[in-house]
């Protein structure tokens, strides 16, 4: 009954580091069908890049690890329109990380999942494990 999906998260990982990578994958598909363009900044400099033929979407702004300031979490949103359509799937995602240290990150991406298969599964992939207090929400958007 929905046409689009919105995923929102607030996450932190258990690994002994300040920042950890966070990725997302659709339909458990690890083939190189993911690409995105991104722009981001850390409060003192900006950067951008084009990433193609990856095995997942890299969500850019990292997830705080155990060495980051206590009780800080990254947050983000992924928008997936027409997730059941028989066409390639465009996505947009935004996320932020602030660990109360010298660096904070903000990143915006436009991506493409080059598969005509409907999305039936979404996996967030952490380098370590998500700690208690991390949350993930899935919302369905119905086109009126």
């Amino acid at each position: 009954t929905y046409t689009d999906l919105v995923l929102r998260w607030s996450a932190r990982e258990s690994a002994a580091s300040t920042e950890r990578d966070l990725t997302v994958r659709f339909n458990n598909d690890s083939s190189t069908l993911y690409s995105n363009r991104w722009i981001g900044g850390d409060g003192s400099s900006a950067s951008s890049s084009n990433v193609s033929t990856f095995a997942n979407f890299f969500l850019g702004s990292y997830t705080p690890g155990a060495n980051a300031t206590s009780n800080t979490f990254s947050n983000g949103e992924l928008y997936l329109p027409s997730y059941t359509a028989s066409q390639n799937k465009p996505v947009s995602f935004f996320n932020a990380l602030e660990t109360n240290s010298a660096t904070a990150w903000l990143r915006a991406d436009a991506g493409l999942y080059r598969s005509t298969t409907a999305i039936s599964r979404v996996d967030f992939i952490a380098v370590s494990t998500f700690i208690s207090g991390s949350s993930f929400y899935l919302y369905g958007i119905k086109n009126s």
Side-chain angles (χ1 to χ4, degrees):
T1 62
Y2 300 113
T3 56
D4 304 349
L5 296 176
V6 174
L7 299 106
R8 291 185 173 171
W9 67 90
S10 174
R12 183 179 174 100
E13 294 186 43
S14 61
S17 69
T18 304
E19 301 165 349
R20 304 300 298 175
D21 295 344
L22 179 62
T23 59
V24 69
R25 184 176 290 155
F26 299 138
N27 296 338
N28 201 31
D29 183 358
S30 61
S31 56
T32 56
L33 298 176
Y34 304 82
S35 59
N36 62 297
R37 293 181 183 269
W38 63 270
I39 185 168
D42 64 5
S44 62
S45 65
S47 57
S48 65
S49 185
N50 178 44
V51 181
S52 60
T53 63
F54 266 48
N56 50 48
F57 284 122
F58 173 63
L59 297 178
S61 294
Y62 305 93
T63 306
N67 295 351
T69 303
S70 297
N71 301 314
T72 57
F73 289 73
S74 65
N75 66 78
E77 178 179 289
L78 183 146
Y79 189 83
L80 178 58
S82 304
Y83 73 100
T84 61
S86 298
Q87 63 191 31
N88 291 339
K89 312 296 185 290
V91 300
S92 63
F93 41 98
F94 303 92
N95 58 345
L97 164 69
E98 200 290 314
T99 61
N100 200 27
S101 65
T103 304
W105 296 94
L106 180 64
R107 181 167 154 164
D109 293 59
L112 184 65
Y113 175 54
R114 295 181 309 280
S115 174
T116 58
T117 304
I119 305 296
S120 60
R121 177 178 170 170
V122 178
D123 293 305
F124 281 85
I125 304 163
V127 175
S128 57
T129 57
F130 295 114
I131 68 162
S132 176
S134 295
S135 58
F136 298 85
Y137 297 95
L138 174 64
Y139 300 94
I141 307 294
K142 186 174 182 179
N143 187 356
S144 302

